[in-house]
Amino acid sequence: MRIKMLYVLISLSSGTLIGFLIRKKKASGIFGKATSGIIFVLLFLLGMTVGMNESLFKNLPTVGLKALVLTLGGIFGSVSLSFVIYRLFFRDRNSNRGSPV
Amino acid sequence: MKSTLFTVAAFTVGILTGLSQFLSFDLAGSHMVEYLVYLLIFLVGVGVGSNSTVWVFIKRVHFKIFLVPLTVIIGTLAGTILFSTVLPSLSVGDSVTVGLGFGYYSLSSVIITQLDGEELGIIALLANLMREIATLLFAPFFARIFGRLAPIAAGGATAMDTTLPVIVKSSGEEYTVVALFSGMVLTLLVPILIPFFMRVTGH
């Protein structure tokens, strides 16, 4: 199995630490551009994988429908629970102004 | 919205290139992609760490801010499990794996492709992309009906960047730090929870 948990944790924690240390430097914009570049390459390759795989490409509508159902489930669940949490802990009955936290 | 279009374009150009049989590539078996994913995870960390707005506010923030990402995690998983029952061809475990992307489609889809395979990776890409697009389009509606945390909940991990502007517009400026915090926590959890969950459930 590719993607090792240990390497994930090392990459993430070292990145967060370095980001925190350079947070006031102008150079941090370069990292944002690099992120977009890598995402572009990875999604391009993912698209290529779909294009090369005939059965996957033909099944794209079915796959899309499954994805839509999961999206609706995720949004429905999180938004509904947020409604409860908002009413219980965040809503200020006296005013609509001020900091919520 | 611009960055969303940019990534959709990358994916579409990739599909066309694949269809043309012009180039060939094995994504799931590639070492190069594995290293690119670590680099991306590193850069995701840099993005979170260098976000100074939230670090400044976090010191004087109430503990209840932690309830927000927790709400998104529990709500997303409960909703995904519930809705996955109408998808007999997709196991509950696979559905939860997709849900754990929390809208972060680029990272979740590549990690899932490497760990499980192309089909689930594509489902993760589309499902999480739709989550981001739905938040961009319906944030004001969510806020009106379900309260001001709802756009943040819908946005998931994207609440710290791509969907932040519409969230702030719908929930109000005083929810900016809440959205940033929730989005940052979820962003950091995506590359941790997906491999962890897949290992625990024996994928």
Side-chain angles (χ1 to χ4, degrees), chain B:
Chain B
M1 204 74 208
K2 212 172 113 191
S3 65
T4 311
L5 291 174
F6 173 79
T7 45
V8 171
F11 184 65
T12 313
V13 174
I15 290 181
L16 295 175
T17 312
L19 282 174
S20 72
Q21 310 282 328
F22 183 64
L23 293 165
S24 154
F25 189 76
D26 173 22
L27 180 74
S30 165
H31 273 291
M32 186 195 86
V33 169
E34 187 190 346
Y35 300 135
L36 274 181
V37 170
Y38 295 139
L39 185 57
L40 178 60
I41 291 171
F42 170 82
L43 289 166
V44 166
V46 173
V48 170
S50 62
N51 195 314
S52 41
T53 320
V54 91
W55 294 120
V56 173
F57 282 96
I58 209 82
K59 290 173 199 153
R60 51 192 181 88
V61 137
H62 200 272
F63 82 96
K64 71 182 178 186
I65 196 171
F66 284 95
L67 285 174
V68 182
L70 197 64
T71 298
V72 183
I73 295 170
I74 295 171
T76 301
L77 296 188
T80 306
I81 291 169
L82 183 69
F83 278 51
S84 75
T85 53
V86 303
L87 299 171
S89 57
L90 205 62
S91 74
V92 174
D94 284 349
S95 306
V96 168
T97 306
V98 171
L100 287 172
F102 301 120
Y104 203 151
Y105 54 86
S106 50
L107 194 56
S108 63
S109 61
V110 177
I111 292 176
I112 292 171
T113 303
Q114 290 247 318
L115 293 179
D116 186 274
E118 285 138 13
E119 181 165 347
L120 197 61
I122 299 304
I123 295 177
L125 173 76
L126 297 175
N128 286 294
L129 183 62
M130 287 181 210
R131 183 165 185 165
E132 178 178 298
I133 293 171
T135 307
L136 289 170
L137 295 177
F138 304 119
F141 168 77
F142 292 146
R144 210 164 34 240
I145 309 289
F146 298 97
R148 301 206 272 174
L149 283 182
I152 300 173
T158 70
M160 69 169 279
D161 42 44
T162 44
T163 61
L164 184 64
V166 293
I167 290 172
V168 172
K169 237 180 174 173
S170 322
S171 303
E173 262 176 50
E174 59 271 36
Y175 277 84
T176 308
V177 175
V178 181
L180 272 172
F181 179 78
S182 175
M184 281 166 73
V185 170
L186 294 168
T187 297
L188 291 175
L189 284 177
V190 168
I192 296 174
L193 287 183
I194 290 176
F196 179 75
F197 178 77
M198 291 176 92
R199 176 173 293 180
V200 168
T201 54
H203 267 77

Side-chain angles (χ1 to χ4, degrees), chain A residues 57-77:
Chain A
F57 184 71
K58 279 199 185 122
N59 281 326
L60 215 48
T62 324
V63 166
L65 192 67
K66 287 180 191 169
L68 179 64
V69 172
L70 294 181
T71 307
L72 293 175
I75 292 183
F76 170 78

